[in-house]
Amino acid sequence: MAYERSENTGSGDGADAALALKILVAGGFGVGKTTLVGAVSEIRPLRTEERLSRAGERVDDTGGVDQKTTTTVAMDFGRITIRSGLSLYLFGTPGQDRFWFLWDELSQGALGAVVLADTRRLEDCFPAVDYFEHRKIPFVVAVNCFAGARTYGAHDVSRALDLDRGTPVVLCDARDRDSGKEVLIRLVEYAGRMHTARLLDTVG
């Protein structure tokens, strides 16, 4: 089970244990991971972005994201409170192949993941889908609806990605806080069902 317990040191009769769930936000280069974390975070997000360089042009495919000038080189971090005593810690992963060695560290203790997808470059999210399926980490696919991109239904995206039966696919706008929160709620609900089913299997 993925959670952390920390002590609330505020004034009162005693310290209450707070529950923090770790969520990863993954996907291909330029799909909107940093944007999503920044949109939903209630704190100023921690970002580790660097400007794209000429050297990086050889390895970073900027097709379809020509206006992108920076890239995440370690992680993004944000936090959102669901209710008193329950928070989500959001970790945005770097999208390029050369930074994937960081994923194993970031995924430790994660409740689940959001895989952002761009229908113009749908193949870019295959590595993230494979990563979480292989490690049995619950995830949802969130299709970031870019202006001018052709619209596909959730079923079409699920079939194109050959997702396991039941894996949620949701449409979203990574810039919009409410839209991002809906994605996170769907993930938490789905991950909860998956973890409960696994626990029942172990005692069955």
Side-chain angles (χ1 to χ4, degrees):
M1 182 63 176
Y3 64 86
E4 299 175 4
R5 289 193 179 276
S6 59
E7 297 301 319
N8 182 351
T9 57
S11 59
D13 295 335
D16 295 326
L19 184 63
L21 304 176
K22 183 178 183 181
I23 303 294
L24 300 186
V25 180
F29 176 68
V31 77
K33 300 180 295 295
T34 298
T35 300
L36 177 64
V37 173
V40 300
S41 179
E42 64 193 20
I43 62 173
R44 183 176 181 180
L46 169 66
R47 293 172 174 165
T48 56
E49 290 192 307
E50 295 290 343
R51 293 191 65 82
L52 292 173
S53 65
R54 288 186 177 180
E57 292 176 357
R58 303 172 186 172
V59 291
D60 295 333
D61 179 11
T62 58
V65 287
D66 302 333
Q67 302 304 312
K68 186 172 176 62
T69 60
T70 61
T71 184
T72 299
V73 296
M75 69 173 184
D76 300 311
F77 174 77
R79 186 188 71 206
I80 179 173
T81 299
I82 301 299
R83 56 173 171 76
S84 179
L86 176 61
S87 300
L88 300 183
Y89 289 169
L90 309 175
F91 292 82
T93 66
Q96 300 98 309
D97 298 9
R98 64 185 186 279
F99 295 125
W100 283 351
F101 67 92
L102 296 169
W103 286 33
D104 287 340
E105 185 68 26
L106 291 174
S107 65
Q108 291 294 320
L111 174 76
V114 174
V115 176
L116 272 176
D118 178 353
T119 56
R120 301 169 302 177
R121 298 153 52 105
L122 196 58
E123 68 279 1
D124 289 359
C125 71
F126 272 111
V129 168
D130 290 342
Y131 182 91
F132 296 122
E133 283 185 344
H134 180 70
R135 288 161 180 79
K136 301 187 183 305
I137 297 175
F139 68 94
V140 301
V141 173
V143 180
N144 194 6
C145 299
F146 288 90
R150 182 177 175 183
T151 301
Y152 293 89
H155 178 72
D156 294 327
V157 173
S158 179
R159 186 170 55 183
L161 294 175
D162 193 25
L163 298 176
D164 290 341
R165 184 180 178 87
T167 302
V169 176
V170 295
L171 306 183
C172 75
D173 182 344
R175 302 166 299 178
D176 183 75
R177 178 177 175 83
D178 289 338
S179 181
K181 287 174 66 174
E182 283 300 316
V183 171
L184 296 174
I185 290 170
R186 286 289 300 276
L187 171 61
V188 171
E189 291 174 344
Y190 176 63
R193 293 195 300 269
M194 293 293 289
H195 285 292
T196 298
R198 291 171 185 172
L199 285 174
L200 291 175
D201 286 343
T202 62
V203 299

